[in-house]
Amino acid sequence: MILETQNLRKYFGEVHAVDNVNFKVKEEEIVAIIGPNGAGKTTLVNVITGYLKPDGGKIIFMGKDITNASIYERIRAGIVRSFQLVNIFEGLSAFDNIRVAINSRERKEGKIFSLIDRDTTVTKEALQILDLFGLPKDTLARDLPHGDRKLLDVATAFALKPKLLLLDEPTSGVSTREKNKIMDVIIPAARKEKVSLVVIEHDMDIVFNYSDRIVVMHQGKILFEGKPDEVREHTEVKRVLLVG
Amino acid sequence: MISRKGLISIIRKYPIYTLIIIILLTLPIYAPSFFVIQIAYGLIFGITGLAFNLLLGYTGLLSFGHAGFFAFGAYMMSLPIRHTGIVHTLEVYLAFAFITSAALGALLGLICARRTRIFFSILNLSFGLIIYSFFLKFWGFTGGADGTHVPTPPLLGMKFAVDKEYWMTHIYYYYILAAFFICLAIFWVIVNSNFGKTLQAIRDNEIRAQFTGIRIYRYRHIAYIISVAFTGLAGCLWAPLNGHTAPEIAWWTYSGDIVMLTILGGYQYFIGPVIGGLVFNVFKIYTIGYTVYWMLLLGIILLILIFFIPRGLVGLGISIYNRLTHKKGSSKG
Amino acid sequence: MSNIIFLYLISGLYYAAYLFLVAAGLTIIFGLARVVNLAHGALYAIGAYVAAWLMGLISKQIPPPLWYIIIIIAGAAGAAFVGIIIEPLLLRRVYGRLEEFQLLLTFAILLIIEDLELMIWGPYPLAFKEPYHYLGAVSIGGGLMYPLYGFVVIAMGWLIALFLWFFMTKTKLGIIIRSAAANKEVTAAIGHNVKSIYTKTFILGATLAGIGGAIVMPSATAQLGLGIDILVFAFAVVVIGGLGSLKGALVGSLIVGMTRVVGIAYFPEIELALIWLIAVIVLVFRPLGLWGRE
């Protein structure tokens, strides 16, 4: 088990966004979280990654209690995320977006007198990542088409070499064809790098095709979890997903 | 070192910059003294602009208090001389101003490096005003509103037996020019370093930067220290040129001038604040010379900048150049 | 001793009264448009200039009690007139743009107004002291006198504070302004003309500053640089009280006013620094000021 939450709680007043959730991720597993809007999927990810403080419960990552760890400590431990809306460094080129992340991972993001272009190892790695995700090098992030912006967001996360990567709707707002293209890049990359992947996703075809295990959330609780086939046949889940 | 071939290719690539450098190097030979001195001031404002723009252009923080830091650096030269009566070589004061300004930046950064947007601007406005009122009101220590005289210091340990005008236009001018090129090189390295890119990442997206494992407050704080330190250094270079330090240079409208010259040159461009510093100073001095309504003129030019050329003179130059050569898109200057 | 304390208190209230008028306008405009108006002090100066200039022309023809009313109307009208010009023509174009451009624009307006004052009224201060002398002074004990006009200014400050509270909470326009400050989209969606709300709010803020300048003028003068000097104090007020909050502007004015009096009396060297030190301390513990909001 790489990640385990124990009775994790996050309330917004009367709304129990995350209500005693015991969520588990195994090593190198690809888990999809599905559920209607307002089910608490994003809040769960926010609490796990330190964006929000939990109201109760514990988060165990690789055997260590990280419930009260800072965002920085979590990233150093290997928990990395992307956001639902594209969240990239808009004024930097795709290349620099990746290099900033690699520098941070290598803890040389604060070197004042080393020119970024002179660092051949970082440059080489960044080019490989751009190549893997099929991204152009010098285009400013803000000038990329939407699908590429989504990809760059994920690519930056990969550049941090996480152990656990949580992606909040990596394919939102793109065409079905592009969705598959994005997932066809992400999944093999995760397998190759032995990253455990948690994906929040609305598109059921994507979920059933690409995940090892599916967790269904509803009203802040885990309603059901199981293999894609088991979820597909589960009547209660169908009802919740259809009715919302 | 750069080879002859390399040098030629640089000149080919950047003909305008080469021309500017040649003009700057040869200026005292043919230009009137008054103009040479104004360019010397402009170069110092260029250094100030570079330091200021590390925050505005590269970190996304708008300080409305940099005149205070500039004045602080200037007083770090005039006050020791006022109280000891001894005039050391200028480098002693430059080092002193740089270090004390860095310490000031470290201290004030504790308060303001966690703030952004208007709150950062106003905090720095407050710092500037506190510095201003300190220099103004502690007249026994600072000379009050009359300020403090700054004698001509030795440079690199050398005294020059020349009159003040020749010293300013031929000796100190080249000293400032050299300091300017050194600062230019340092800032070029900083903004193109790992650190520089990290700052730009923080500027673009604070939250993403945090989730990339970047300690944003720490790097903002470091950027702030660098900016304040070099602004103080510029102030110290300014003191012997001006011959006098007075509290009014810390007044917040001068911070407005620093903001203005940076936007005038183009804060999205590395070289923007340098061009802005040179043009702004020459423009301001000549308008003051020709009309009492120079603030009105400055205000109108500002309006034109804001509404028609928000990318500043460098941005304007690049788009004109691109139109002439039929290139599309803009490149970084 | 007690009369000295009373004198300090009155002087503090006097500063607070006109500071509040400037700061209230600054904060109302920021609350809605999210623009910090560096030219706000210039509107205060316009109020002072117009009042002094008009009284210089007509004071002989009108009975003294009317002076006080005309001063206020003249100051308010002068500043409101400038507000009507600069909001739709200039400020409106930078809402939502980068902060550096908003600040620079208001800085440009400040520079332009400063020189227009010089153009119109010349380089020498304009004064009209009669209303100040006309009322005379009252004894506050221990042989100390305090000009009665000071009480007029204080009363005006509190009266307008009361009016603003009433306006913002009880009148339709006030409630619309507050709801637009909280959520522009919703306010626009329910059919209000947000553009005109912005203009009206700006004019209201300008008017307050103009009144402030006008009522201070008889005890001082209208002169160049006035708008730049006052802004420094008004800024301290809104920084302490919290940008966007009227309650903050009121409490901030009292704090700055009292600090100024104590500062001038006991620590003349650091009077200005003292005020800004308080501002910095407040910001350290409450980054948005006492009643500020994001």
Side-chain angles (χ1 to χ4, degrees):
Chain A
M1 214 57 68
I2 188 164
L3 177 84
E4 191 176 353
T5 73
Q6 298 169 353
N7 297 322
L8 198 64
R9 288 200 312 275
K10 180 72 197 176
Y11 299 163
F12 299 109
E14 295 295 299
V15 180
H16 294 190
V18 173
D19 198 1
N20 286 306
V21 167
N22 295 300
F23 175 70
K24 295 181 185 67
V25 182
K26 294 196 201 86
E27 278 84 2
E28 297 179 43
E29 191 184 24
I30 294 171
V31 183
I33 308 179
I34 61 172
N37 282 326
K41 307 180 296 284
T42 296
T43 308
L44 178 64
V45 166
N46 281 345
V47 174
I48 291 170
T49 54
Y51 191 62
L52 293 174
K53 294 251 170 294
D55 292 322
K58 271 187 182 173
I59 307 165
I60 312 291
F61 180 69
M62 296 175 79
K64 274 191 214 140
D65 185 341
I66 57 152
T67 315
N68 297 313
S70 67
I71 292 171
Y72 177 75
E73 287 163 345
R74 284 175 218 232
I75 289 159
R76 290 292 174 231
I79 303 178
V80 171
R81 70 172 296 179
S82 77
F83 289 83
Q84 199 171 345
L85 298 172
V86 177
N87 216 323
I88 47 185
F89 305 124
E90 302 281 357
L92 297 182
S93 66
F95 186 39
D96 282 342
N97 266 272
I98 306 287
R99 287 198 295 186
V100 163
I102 298 173
N103 278 338
S104 166
R105 186 194 76 209
E106 297 290 323
R107 306 195 186 184
K108 46 189 183 189
E109 79 279 15
K111 286 196 164 179
I112 295 180
F113 291 109
S114 50
L115 290 171
I116 198 161
D117 287 335
R118 287 278 175 86
D119 195 327
T120 46
T121 48
V122 170
T123 300
K124 208 172 133 197
E125 189 190 335
L127 289 173
Q128 279 169 355
I129 293 174
L130 286 175
D131 199 41
L132 179 67
F133 283 82
L135 289 164
K137 176 166 165 269
D138 292 320
T139 315
L140 290 186
R142 68 164 77 96
D143 297 332
L144 289 171
H146 183 69
D148 280 355
R149 286 158 60 79
K150 286 294 253 190
L151 272 177
L152 178 59
D153 201 337
V154 177
T156 312
F158 264 102
L160 293 168
K161 289 207 173 149
K163 297 192 176 69
L164 172 66
L165 179 57
L166 303 102
L167 304 176
D168 194 350
E169 301 199 24
T171 70
S172 66
V174 302
S175 68
T176 311
R177 224 186 56 178
E178 264 195 301
K179 277 184 196 221
N180 283 307
K181 193 185 130 197
I182 290 174
M183 295 310 286
D184 284 337
V185 179
I186 294 175
I187 301 296
R191 299 256 191 242
K192 183 167 160 260
E193 301 285 333
K194 301 192 189 318
V195 179
S196 306
L197 199 60
V198 174
V199 184
I200 297 178
E201 183 54 64
H202 275 298
D203 190 309
M204 286 304 129
D205 289 335
I206 298 277
V207 170
F208 290 129
N209 282 339
Y210 291 98
S211 54
D212 300 335
R213 192 159 60 84
I214 296 173
V215 173
V216 186
M217 282 188 79
H218 183 50
Q219 293 178 346
K221 288 185 162 56
I222 293 182
L223 185 72
F224 182 78
E225 51 189 310
K227 296 236 172 345
D229 289 339
E230 296 166 14
V231 172
R232 213 192 296 258
E233 301 309 320
H234 198 277
T235 45
E236 172 74 2
V237 170
K238 272 190 210 161
R239 193 186 61 78
V240 165
L241 289 177
L242 283 175
V243 179
Chain B
M1 284 307 288
I2 308 166
S3 67
R4 209 171 126 244
K5 218 173 157 188
L7 195 66
I8 290 168
S9 81
I10 287 172
I11 292 170
R12 283 242 176 90
K13 209 170 158 196
Y14 303 106
I16 295 169
Y17 294 141
T18 310
L19 187 69
I20 291 175
I21 290 170
I22 290 169
I23 292 173
L24 286 174
L25 283 172
T26 55
L27 197 66
I29 300 169
Y30 47 80
S33 297
F34 180 72
F35 188 78
V36 175
I37 291 169
Q38 290 318 315
I39 292 298
Y41 277 113
L43 290 168
I44 289 169
F45 296 140
I47 298 172
T48 314
L50 283 171
F52 171 80
N53 205 37
L54 184 69
L55 291 178
L56 178 64
Y58 291 92
T59 320
L61 297 171
L62 171 61
S63 160
F64 234 88
H66 261 53
F69 311 137
F70 187 87
F72 181 85
Y75 271 93
M76 286 307 107
M77 173 163 188
S78 65
L79 289 181
I81 294 174
R82 178 186 170 90
H83 291 283
T84 61
I86 307 164
V87 184
H88 295 286
T89 180
L90 180 61
E91 295 74 41
V92 172
Y93 301 107
L94 289 177
F96 183 64
F98 188 79
I99 292 164
T100 48
S101 302
L104 181 73
L107 180 74
L108 299 179
L110 289 176
I111 300 168
C112 71
R114 285 180 173 265
R115 312 270 172 256
T116 55
R117 300 166 57 83
I118 194 69
F119 304 100
F120 180 86
S121 306
I122 290 185
L123 263 176
N124 278 280
L125 181 83
S126 348
F127 298 153
L129 287 169
I130 291 172
I131 293 169
Y132 165 80
S133 67
F134 180 84
F135 290 140
L136 179 69
K137 297 292 178 73
F138 283 90
W139 56 270
F141 186 67
T142 64
D146 295 339
T148 294
H149 172 68
V150 181
T152 302
L155 304 174
L156 298 164
M158 287 178 286
K159 281 186 182 161
F160 297 89
V162 292
D163 65 61
K164 180 86 185 191
E165 187 179 315
Y166 189 85
W167 183 82
M168 286 208 279
T169 54
H170 284 77
I171 293 160
Y172 197 44
Y173 172 81
Y174 283 110
Y175 190 91
I176 290 170
L177 193 60
F180 167 77
F181 282 129
I182 292 167
C183 290
L184 195 69
I186 291 172
F187 274 98
W188 189 83
V189 170
I190 289 174
V191 303
N192 288 291
S193 71
N194 290 0
F195 173 71
K197 288 288 177 202
T198 300
L199 289 184
Q200 293 165 58
I202 295 170
R203 171 199 68 193
D204 281 355
N205 195 330
E206 204 175 293
I207 289 173
R208 181 57 191 246
Q210 253 174 324
F211 278 96
T212 307
I214 293 169
R215 283 162 292 182
I216 55 173
Y217 302 128
R218 179 192 171 126
Y219 293 122
R220 272 204 200 122
H221 197 162
I222 294 172
Y224 188 75
I225 293 170
I226 295 171
S227 180
V228 175
F230 276 91
T231 305
L233 184 81
C236 186
L237 273 172
W238 174 87
L241 187 66
N242 200 55
H244 189 259
T245 60
E248 65 185 39
I249 51 164
W251 188 236
W252 70 274
T253 51
Y254 284 86
S255 295
D257 283 359
I258 296 174
V259 181
M260 203 193 298
L261 69 87
T262 305
I263 307 258
L264 173 71
Y267 72 103
Q268 293 102 326
Y269 304 96
F270 173 71
I271 209 72
V274 171
I275 305 290
L278 287 166
V279 174
F280 178 81
N281 186 58
V282 169
F283 176 81
K284 186 172 173 178
I285 291 301
Y286 281 93
T287 6
I288 288 176
Y290 284 112
T291 167
V292 288
Y293 303 118
W294 60 274
M295 287 204 290
L296 183 73
L297 253 170
L298 272 186
I300 290 168
I301 286 176
L302 250 182
L303 292 184
I304 294 170
L305 268 179
I306 294 165
F307 292 121
F308 302 108
I309 31 178
R311 299 177 82 84
L313 293 175
V314 174
L316 184 71
I318 287 174
S319 60
I320 290 172
Y321 180 80
N322 284 344
R323 193 164 297 173
L324 289 179
T325 56
H326 303 290
K327 272 188 209 163
K328 282 202 170 167
S330 64
S331 58
K332 281 237 162 186
Chain C
M1 190 59 212
S2 68
N3 57 334
I4 298 270
I5 290 171
F6 186 67
L7 180 67
Y8 288 165
L9 202 66
I10 291 291
S11 309
L13 285 174
Y14 172 77
Y15 286 134
Y18 72 83
L19 271 178
F20 171 74
L21 290 176
V22 182
L26 196 61
T27 217
I28 290 173
I29 293 168
F30 179 83
L32 182 64
R34 317 305 286 179
V35 172
V36 172
N37 181 15
L38 293 175
H40 202 69
L43 296 166
Y44 165 91
I46 291 278
Y49 264 111
V50 172
W53 166 76
L54 188 69
M55 292 314 283
L57 290 180
I58 65 166
S59 68
K60 298 276 185 299
Q61 285 86 41
I62 53 174
L66 267 182
W67 290 345
Y68 301 91
I69 296 164
I70 290 183
I71 283 176
I72 290 167
I73 293 173
F81 174 72
V82 176
I84 291 172
I85 297 174
I86 60 181
E87 199 279 340
L89 197 67
L90 299 171
L91 266 168
R92 182 175 291 169
R93 296 163 196 266
V94 295
Y95 296 147
R97 263 183 85 177
L98 290 170
E99 230 147 47
E100 42 268 33
F101 286 107
Q102 297 177 341
L103 281 175
L104 265 190
L105 174 67
T106 58
F107 189 61
I109 295 170
L110 169 74
L111 295 177
I112 292 171
I113 293 180
E114 276 288 317
D115 263 2
L116 287 179
E117 286 166 6
L118 174 65
M119 244 180 215
I120 298 169
W121 291 294
Y124 305 109
L126 237 57
F128 180 68
K129 301 237 181 238
E130 280 82 349
Y132 180 79
H133 298 305
Y134 180 77
L135 287 181
V138 287
S139 167
I140 54 169
L144 286 173
M145 302 288 279
Y146 194 80
L148 208 56
Y149 187 77
F151 292 101
V152 173
V153 172
I154 294 169
M156 267 313 282
W158 285 100
L159 219 66
I160 287 176
L162 206 66
F163 160 78
L164 276 177
W165 170 79
F166 177 80
F167 176 77
M168 282 299 191
T169 54
K170 306 284 181 216
T171 68
K172 198 173 162 219
L173 180 59
I175 290 167
I176 294 171
I177 290 175
R178 285 197 308 154
S179 70
N183 194 328
K184 283 167 203 83
E185 286 74 24
V186 170
T187 313
I190 56 175
H192 293 296
N193 180 352
V194 175
K195 264 188 187 172
S196 98
I197 296 171
Y198 273 62
T199 310
K200 284 174 188 161
T201 306
F202 191 86
I203 293 169
L204 172 68
T207 308
L208 292 173
I211 294 175
I215 60 170
V216 171
M217 181 274 298
S219 63
T221 52
Q223 56 186 356
L224 296 172
L226 194 66
I228 294 174
D229 295 339
I230 185 79
L231 191 70
V232 170
F233 291 101
F235 256 157
V237 169
V238 293
V239 165
I240 291 169
L243 265 169
S245 158
L246 266 178
K247 196 205 258 176
L250 185 66
V251 176
S253 310
L254 290 169
I255 293 175
V256 172
M258 293 299 170
T259 309
R260 233 185 128 181
V261 172
V262 174
I264 290 171
Y266 296 104
F267 319 99
E269 288 87 7
I270 55 164
E271 172 228 332
L272 186 62
L274 199 65
I275 290 168
W276 281 99
L277 272 178
I278 291 175
V280 167
I281 290 166
V282 168
L283 283 188
V284 169
F285 293 102
R286 292 191 64 97
L288 303 177
L290 295 175
W291 283 280
R293 53 190 176 76
E294 208 45 90

